[in-house]
Amino acid sequence: MGNWVVNHGLSALILVVWMGINIFIFVYFYLFYDLGPQFFYTRHLLGPALAWARAPAAVLNFNCLLILLPVCRNLLSFIRGSCACFRRSMRKQLDKNLSFHKLVAYMIGLMTAVHTIAHLLNLEWLNNSRQGDYDNLSTELSEIGDHSNETFLNPIRSPSMTPSYVAFTTIAGITGVIITLSLILIITSSMEVIRRSYYEVFWYTHHLFIIFFAGLVFHGAGRIVRSQTKDSMYEHNVTYCKDRPLDWGKIQECPMPQFAGGAPGTWMWVLGPMVLYVFERILRLYRSLQKVILRKTVIHPSNVLELQMQKKNFSMEVGQYVFLNCPSISQLEWHPFTMTSAPEEDFFSVHIRSMGDWTRDLISKVKWILKGEKGEFHAHGEIAVDGPFGTASEDVFDYEVSMLVGCGIGVTPFASILKSIWYKFKESNQKLRTKKIYFYWLCRETHAFEWFADLLHSLEGEMEERGMLNFLSYKLFLTGWDHSHAAHVMVHFDKDTDVVTGLKQKTHYGRPNWEKEFEDIRNAHPTSTVGVFLCGPQALGKTLESCCARYSDVDPRKARFYFNKENF
Amino acid sequence: MGQIEWAMWANEQALAAGLILLTGGIVGVAGQFKDWQFAAYGIDGESLIDICLLEYPRGKRKNKGTSIDRMGQRYLTICVKAFGPLTRNYFVRAGLHAVLSIPGGFMLPTVLGCVCVAIASLIYLLAAIRGEQWEPIMPQVESKQRPGESMKEPPSNPPPRPPRRAPEETARGCCICQPHSHLCQLCLRAPPRGQCDQGFAQSNNCCRL
């Protein structure tokens, strides 16, 4: 139980607070509209559907405020930087910004559904009231506004209208339909299947949020939710007059009631975040216009492109990522890449694999240019860079013992981390608290990662020179082996270096036995705090998280494992 | 956007649209709206049967390896596959969705569903123009790992091994004989039916110890 609190406590608290605020807002506005005396006549026409429409609307206001905030990357980086004095676990929450964004989006979807259904019922009943299908009071209420000096209650002004006509001719109706449609398109294109496979569709469709917010701000401008004015309530005694609708205006106790529409309130909620988001985009644009010098381009085996770049006033931390844009391939597309260089170097680099349209085009473009001019090319202004943006890897130096697990393409942030740790170790940098690193590299095949094997090779060489082979211990796991592999390994068993990678550490085949690994590390470091960093699939994340929970001791003097996950 | 299979997005959109149409239909009927018959049509005729069942089985991806299927879609895949070219061709699907969306436009609760289905129809049209087709995801048959060509099947009997007999001479297996080997491990011969060579009475056993 203690382990769960340590690992998940803060996230759970944030969720509880968020849900609590939602519930509070819902109940408060529900009761406001369901019990408020100024809505008595409105409720007579609409029944409980009035409150059921207005309460989700309030929750929607709150959530539309929240949804823009987790995607302001620069704002989050700023908070992260200024929170350096705060506890590590608080800063970790900022990693989960995308999960929070999705959660808020689900709530918006749900509340939109409730709100829309309630308003559908409202429109139908308003229409029926206007046509005189219900009792006298309803008919009388609906007819208010037909004569001059009267303010209407029922927004449907003519008995010959249909709900569909009203929906498409009122501001609230037409904006409602448009923004709900945008929301549906945004949600269907954000499904995991589409997002992971065709990022461009997801990204472009997601920009319908501009229409969503524009429509949202104007949605209440028609003021069609009406309530009785204060003055009118003073003059017109509802309890007495509600039974005498036909006498209104004729007897003294019951002058015609006056109504007014509620002022649109959504803009007050969403204006702040919208301004913040506009600033965010402008900042991204400004940063991207800064000149980027392409210092070196290298094509590694298996079609991996390395770009070494320099940019003025660019300072990075380990494991951060940048967004790259190549206007000659696509004007509007920005793609994230983890940086593979260390902050101690005077350039920053990314390694790009050919995974989709954009990367394929970039690699073929570079190859074409390289063929034309032999050697490296320095093309300025070809690439724009936005970033860097921070992730959890900045914490890796804080732990005495670190377990780094990289799966497949997820090994890239660890290139930066390992290089940086090695630089810091060489300089005996005080910031480095790390005494020992365990690095696990899992991949189906080493194809496309030869450059990383080269990096490990050079690190191995340097460590051996200084007699510090104990600092870093790494294990490579090839999960996609078959009989030919096994045969090959059997034949070369006695060789000093590994036959596949050429490294001193032999390659393991299959998946690691995490229980054993955690057990070994716990026995080797019985009193340390161990940070576990993963960049890989969710399934493995769950396994590691549960191992961390199981092998951690609640006693702070004994070994404790903290789990950190990168997500892209 | 060269590599996108539009049909995947059209599929998600159509499924969502079907559910929205269904919800609109339920609201229309439950609220006893005017023209609720259109709403009833929305629930019964269209959204449930055609759209949700037709769209639920996800198609196989042509370009990339992994196709993630939805939970429990295996049975529906068989049904949808049975219609052959009607369900495989996306022009037909686009047309079908376009036609089916029309009745939803007649009353307000189903209007949103109508528009969503129409959009799905348009995306399917785009997919069809690009030549995509619906391929069913069939369950993978586990192929046994065959050892390398050079490795022969190890012998299943200890020496001495008499030559293999013709199949009609095989007897029932017993606990001494391997069930699938036609030789008794004791007498090393294929016992005739009913009686072991050694003269032991045979029920399941050939040579009883």
Side-chain angles (χ1 to χ4, degrees), chain A residues 117 120-121 123-124 128 131 133 164 167 180-181 184-185 188-189 191 193-194 197-198 201 204 357 360, chain B residues 1-5 8-9 12-13 16 20 23 27 33-34 58 61 64 108-109 111-112 115-116 119:
Chain A
I117 291 175
L120 285 173
L121 294 171
L123 272 184
E124 183 72 14
N128 291 343
Q131 294 179 350
D133 289 351
S164 309
T180 312
L181 205 56
I184 292 171
L185 282 173
T188 53
S189 63
M191 295 271 115
V193 174
I194 311 277
S197 322
Y198 310 114
V201 165
Y204 287 130
D357 287 349
R360 201 187 51 215
Chain B
M1 294 210 224
Q3 274 188 4
I4 179 175
E5 284 181 38
M8 288 191 72
W9 185 25
E12 299 285 335
Q13 177 70 16
I20 293 169
T23 315
V27 168
F33 283 29
K34 292 202 166 76
R58 216 176 246 145
R61 284 172 63 176
K64 299 204 179 158
L108 188 57
V111 148
L112 194 62
V115 176
C116 289
I119 292 179

Side-chain angles (χ1 to χ4, degrees), chain A residues 224-240:
Chain A
I224 61 172
V225 178
R226 316 282 290 182
S227 62
Q228 208 175 353
T229 58
K230 260 209 185 105
D231 295 334
S232 172
M233 289 186 58
Y234 190 63
E235 297 170 337
H236 173 112
N237 184 340
V238 169
T239 345
Y240 178 71

Side-chain angles (χ1 to χ4, degrees), chain B residues 113-155:
Chain B
C114 157
V115 176
C116 289
V117 174
I119 292 179
S121 158
L122 282 174
I123 308 177
Y124 264 127
L125 189 63
L126 186 55
I129 290 173
R130 299 205 38 196
E132 296 171 20
Q133 271 198 338
W134 186 82
E135 299 281 341
I137 301 179
M138 302 308 292
Q140 296 270 349
V141 178
E142 287 284 327
S143 54
K144 288 219 179 78
Q145 288 274 4
R146 306 233 16 121
E149 284 297 326
S150 57
M151 274 202 247
K152 297 214 183 328
E153 286 283 355

Side-chain angles (χ1 to χ4, degrees), chain A residues 3 51-52 71 100 122-123 303 358 435 454 478 504 522:
Chain A
N3 299 322
W52 275 108
V71 287
F100 189 62
N122 283 344
L123 272 184
N303 231 14
W358 191 86
K435 302 273 181 296
D454 287 338
L478 273 189
K504 280 236 166 4
R522 190 166 69 167

